[in-house]
Amino acid sequence: MKKLVKVAVVAVGLFLTGSAVNAQQKFAHINSQDLLQVMPEMKTADAQFQTFQKQKQTTLEQMDAERQKKYKPTVIKKLP
């Protein structure tokens, strides 16, 4: 009988401890878009990205213009 009481007390203790641990967890929701807009690092990173994007766009346009210059003469030569 004493053993049954000890097991019951330990089981209740573990159950209450588990409930207490779960009660301590807190969850929160944040609006990450607002948080990122407020950060000064985000503004700096966005400006750097815009500069990088413009540079790559310019490079791509130059490469396309060069490709068109090389492609047009070959097409004209092959046409009868």
Side-chain angles (χ1 to χ4, degrees):
M1 186 71 170
K2 288 182 181 182
K3 197 173 195 180
L4 182 61
V5 171
K6 286 181 183 180
V7 170
V9 169
V10 170
V12 170
L14 289 174
F15 177 73
L16 292 176
T17 304
S19 297
V21 169
N22 286 337
Q24 291 176 358
Q25 294 177 351
K26 295 182 181 180
F27 295 96
H29 300 279
I30 62 169
N31 189 343
S32 58
Q33 186 67 27
D34 288 344
L35 179 64
L36 289 174
Q37 287 179 353
V38 173
M39 294 175 61
E41 294 90 358
M42 178 67 177
K43 293 176 184 174
T44 304
D46 190 41
Q48 289 176 347
F49 177 72
Q50 293 296 330
T51 304
F52 177 76
Q53 182 182 13
K54 288 178 184 176
Q55 289 174 351
K56 293 301 177 182
Q57 184 67 30
T58 304
T59 304
L60 185 62
E61 289 171 356
Q62 289 172 352
M63 291 172 67
D64 186 48
E66 185 178 328
R67 180 195 57 84
Q68 287 180 359
K69 286 179 186 176
K70 290 180 179 179
Y71 179 72
K72 280 185 180 180
T74 58
V75 171
I76 293 173
K77 288 178 185 177
K78 290 184 179 180
L79 291 176

